[in-house]
Amino acid sequence: MEKHYQKMIQDTQDRVVKSLQIQVTDRENPRYGGFADPTGIVQAKYAIYRIASMVAAYCNEDTCFYRDRKVLDGIMTGLDYVAGVQHENGLFDYITCNFFSAPDTAFCIKKLLPVYQYLKGRQEGEIGTGLTVEESDILEKMEGIVRRGAYGLLRGGFHTPNHRWAIASVLMSCGRLFHCEEMEEAAFTYLNEGIDCNEDGEFAEKSAGNYNRINNDAMILLSEATGDPSYEQNAIRNLRMMLTYWEPDDSIFTANSTRFDKDRLVFPGDYYIEYLK
């Protein structure tokens, strides 16, 4: 696994280099601190995904960006951008199609949660060493975004099956983190519908190229938040099924998907962490 870890380190460092190149650094630009995606669009979701990698690199002494001042500046301006485009009710827009979007907000918060929990654990002495002043500043900004986003999810609203589990899992995790019964109750409202995973391990959207692993992430997160292993059994069944979906070129069978990945060439890299778990 040591080679795997070194590959993760290198990939993260490469991602940070790219992030610094595409971050909006013009202070007069209303999108200052954001990140331009390959199509030139700047929005919260893309920024959060970039910032999460930057924080991971900044806090890890095995990277070349450990406590790097330029990376820290990028993180702080990036978090300021994200906070600035977060609506008063805590929700984010996915500006190409979904506005005041609970599911996209759930995906944003989900991406921040591991970094937030790591920093919070160090602050409270549960793991590693305490935080530096700079890391405390990162945590403070991040906590405001996560907390507002979690309360925004109470407003609900979704339009595809996987969105239910993204929202429910983040609500449950944040309910436990912030000791909020209302969030937990809202999560159970979604879960009371029953999980759309059959005995073979296939979810309703049959999206082996993308949304199956999104659902798996949600099921694993629900088990971690509640301590109830029954949720992760859905992910385990799906991961066993996925072992039969590898094509001879190591891509994933996607012909029966009902979503955008149908018949696309997709490789299973995003399933890697789920199999490790």
Side-chain angles (χ1 to χ4, degrees):
M1 297 303 294
E2 179 63 25
K3 289 183 179 179
H4 292 224
Y5 176 67
Q6 293 304 325
K7 181 66 164 61
M8 291 178 185
I9 291 292
Q10 187 59 57
D11 287 349
T12 301
Q13 291 177 162
D14 291 346
R15 189 170 177 83
V16 172
V17 170
K18 181 64 176 179
S19 296
L20 293 174
Q21 292 172 346
I22 63 176
Q23 188 167 28
V24 180
T25 57
D26 178 4
R27 292 180 179 273
E28 302 303 316
N29 191 315
R31 298 176 180 84
Y32 173 62
F35 301 80
D37 73 12
T39 66
I41 293 174
V42 180
Q43 60 176 321
K45 190 174 183 179
Y46 191 72
I48 284 171
Y49 278 51
R50 290 286 169 177
I51 292 166
S53 294
M54 293 170 75
V55 176
Y58 179 82
C59 294
N60 189 333
E61 62 184 6
D62 292 335
T63 74
C64 64
F65 294 113
Y66 181 56
R67 296 183 178 174
D68 182 278
R69 185 69 207 186
K70 186 174 182 181
V71 173
L72 175 64
D73 290 343
I75 292 168
M76 300 303 278
T77 55
L79 289 172
D80 285 341
Y81 163 77
V82 170
V85 297
Q86 189 171 21
H87 291 295
E88 288 186 7
N89 65 3
L91 297 178
F92 291 107
D93 294 332
Y94 188 65
I95 63 176
T96 54
C97 56
N98 302 331
F99 303 95
F100 290 88
S101 173
D104 289 297
T105 301
F107 290 130
C108 288
I109 301 308
K110 170 192 162 189
K111 190 66 175 180
L112 287 177
L113 276 177
V115 184
Y116 169 77
Q117 289 173 299
Y118 165 72
L119 292 173
K120 193 71 173 177
R122 282 180 53 195
Q123 183 188 59
E124 296 178 350
E126 296 175 356
I127 55 174
T129 59
L131 298 181
T132 64
V133 172
E134 293 79 9
E135 289 168 336
S136 295
D137 292 340
I138 294 172
L139 176 61
E140 182 179 359
K141 288 179 182 290
M142 196 174 288
E143 180 162 326
I145 293 167
V146 170
R147 189 182 291 270
R148 288 193 301 273
Y151 278 102
L153 293 181
L154 293 173
R155 299 177 64 86
F158 64 90
H159 54 271
T160 66
N162 72 86
H163 288 171
R164 295 170 294 177
W165 315 137
I167 295 171
S169 60
V170 173
L171 275 170
M172 187 67 75
S173 294
C174 290
R176 299 297 167 93
L177 283 172
F178 302 131
H179 308 289
C180 178
E181 291 185 7
E182 187 179 9
M183 291 179 191
E184 293 184 33
E185 290 171 0
F188 280 120
T189 300
Y190 288 99
L191 295 170
N192 285 341
E193 298 178 21
I195 311 298
D196 60 330
C197 183
N198 66 25
E199 62 183 13
D200 295 321
E202 184 63 283
F203 290 96
E205 293 167 288
K206 302 179 181 179
S207 176
N210 191 62
Y211 291 108
N212 280 1
R213 57 102 180 175
I214 297 293
N215 289 330
N216 289 341
D217 278 348
M219 295 299 115
I220 293 168
L221 192 57
L222 282 165
S223 278
E224 290 175 346
T226 63
D228 183 348
S230 66
Y231 294 113
E232 68 184 11
Q233 290 304 311
N234 298 288
I236 290 171
R237 289 201 309 280
N238 180 261
L239 291 172
R240 286 175 176 160
M241 183 199 77
M242 286 299 301
L243 293 175
T244 72
Y245 273 41
W246 287 182
E247 298 283 17
D249 65 351
D250 291 328
S251 66
I252 297 173
F253 170 74
T254 59
N256 64 342
S257 175
T258 64
R259 299 301 305 277
F260 74 86
D261 58 309
K262 179 176 174 60
D263 295 326
R264 287 195 178 187
L265 180 63
V266 181
F267 292 92
D270 287 328
Y271 286 90
Y272 172 77
I273 296 297
E274 294 178 349
Y275 279 109
L276 283 186
K277 282 181 177 287

